[in-house]
Amino acid sequence: MAKAADRAKRPARTSVWLEGKAPRNGAGSRRSDQPSGLDRDRITEATVRLLDEEGLAKFSMRRLAADLNVTAMSVYWYVDTKDDLLELALDAAAGEMTLPSRDSVTPDRWRETLRELAEEYRGLLVRHAWVSPLVGNFLNIGPNWIKFSLAVQEVVRGTGLPAEKQAGAIAAVFQFVYGFGTVQGHYIARCAAAGLTPEEYFKEAMGAVSAHPALEETLHSSADMMEARGGSTVEEMWELDFAVALDLLVAGIEATL
């Protein structure tokens, strides 16, 4: 266990996964002198739950300790810093994604598999709004993120794209998914914070915007587009837009081939 003063003096580090402090199997062993009733997995699970319930801004080691009914120093037997814990939680969340089996990743199924991976990634970002900002803060080299990365690489290799274009294809698809999932996840979090359903929030927002004279032209211009797109609920609109955008990206890869 590192003392608080030592943690404050240490320079910023790259990743908990590079310092031998997080076992690759995700389990946390307990020494005989560590507090009983805790382990790293339990602490990580509680962290994910609190981040889901209260958001990243409100999360703290003290809040976590109170939820676990232990002292904050007890938590520090298992992790040295809050960043360590957030990185462990980030990888635990990534473990929720269902990845294709290796024998299902075949050249004739790359379109379906790419769509499946894109949907899994979007689902993760939507369920856990705190994931997207953390993805930009860490290296994402925990075991679950590595599995996801390897699955994406294998699928894109199977498209038939030349090697020099494969990284760009991954960026096009999964940076789009990251942006789409981030916006959708944060929208849902705003609705929850306001105590409104997505439909109620959407109606209130559109009502406020439509009452503003400076925005009338924009709304009028987009009216036919939204009508043609369809979707009777906010969720349906998200699904329709995501499907079309992903189809266009897949078509772009096909056109390159």
Side-chain angles (χ1 to χ4, degrees):
M1 181 179 70
K3 295 181 179 179
D6 294 334
R7 290 194 300 272
K9 292 177 183 178
R10 266 199 327 225
R13 67 177 121 86
T14 54
S15 172
V16 67
W17 303 101
L18 297 177
E19 298 192 349
K21 295 180 180 178
R24 284 280 164 182
N25 61 9
S29 60
R30 190 178 75 82
R31 300 196 311 263
S32 60
D33 60 339
Q34 291 174 335
S36 61
L38 284 181
D39 58 46
R40 181 176 278 145
D41 288 341
R42 183 186 169 200
I43 293 170
T44 303
E45 289 169 6
T47 299
V48 171
R49 177 170 47 77
L50 282 177
L51 288 168
D52 285 342
E53 293 173 356
E54 302 180 0
L56 185 59
K58 293 183 179 179
F59 180 79
S60 69
M61 298 297 267
R62 289 185 180 276
R63 176 69 186 88
L64 172 66
D67 183 80
L68 291 168
N69 198 28
V70 299
T71 66
M73 293 309 295
S74 296
V75 178
Y76 283 119
W77 279 104
Y78 299 90
V79 290
D80 284 345
T81 68
K82 177 181 172 181
D83 278 355
D84 284 352
L85 190 50
L86 291 176
E87 198 171 5
L88 292 169
L90 183 62
D91 193 68
E96 297 175 6
M97 290 187 285
T98 300
L99 305 181
S101 59
R102 295 187 69 90
D103 57 359
S104 70
V105 182
T106 57
D108 61 315
R109 287 198 75 255
W110 71 263
R111 297 164 187 81
E112 295 83 357
T113 309
L114 188 63
R115 287 188 176 93
E116 290 167 5
L117 284 170
E119 287 284 7
E120 288 293 329
Y121 189 31
R122 179 173 71 123
L124 175 70
L125 295 165
V126 171
R127 287 191 303 275
H128 307 295
W130 51 271
V131 163
S132 57
L134 292 186
V135 164
N137 288 342
F138 297 110
L139 293 178
N140 310 313
I141 55 173
N144 290 316
W145 281 111
I146 289 295
K147 290 176 185 176
F148 176 68
S149 177
L150 290 174
V152 169
Q153 291 175 37
E154 192 163 359
V155 171
V156 172
R157 285 194 183 99
T159 63
L161 281 171
E164 69 271 14
K165 294 186 177 181
Q166 290 172 10
I170 291 172
V173 174
F174 289 94
Q175 288 186 25
F176 150 70
V177 177
Y178 173 83
F180 195 104
T182 295
V183 171
Q184 185 179 358
H186 288 192
Y187 174 85
I188 292 172
R190 282 200 308 276
C191 294
L196 300 171
T197 67
E199 276 66 40
E200 290 169 342
Y201 191 97
F202 179 75
K203 288 178 181 178
E204 285 201 10
M206 291 301 293
V209 170
S210 60
H212 199 292
L215 300 174
E216 182 179 356
E217 182 180 356
T218 301
L219 287 174
H220 180 73
S221 174
S222 63
D224 59 336
M225 189 185 303
M226 294 182 68
E227 183 179 356
R229 184 263 312 277
S232 59
T233 67
V234 173
E235 180 64 27
E236 288 177 358
M237 288 187 281
W238 286 118
E239 294 301 322
L240 290 166
D241 288 345
F242 185 81
V244 170
L246 193 54
D247 283 346
L248 290 172
L249 289 167
V250 171
I253 294 174
E254 291 174 330
T256 301
L257 296 174

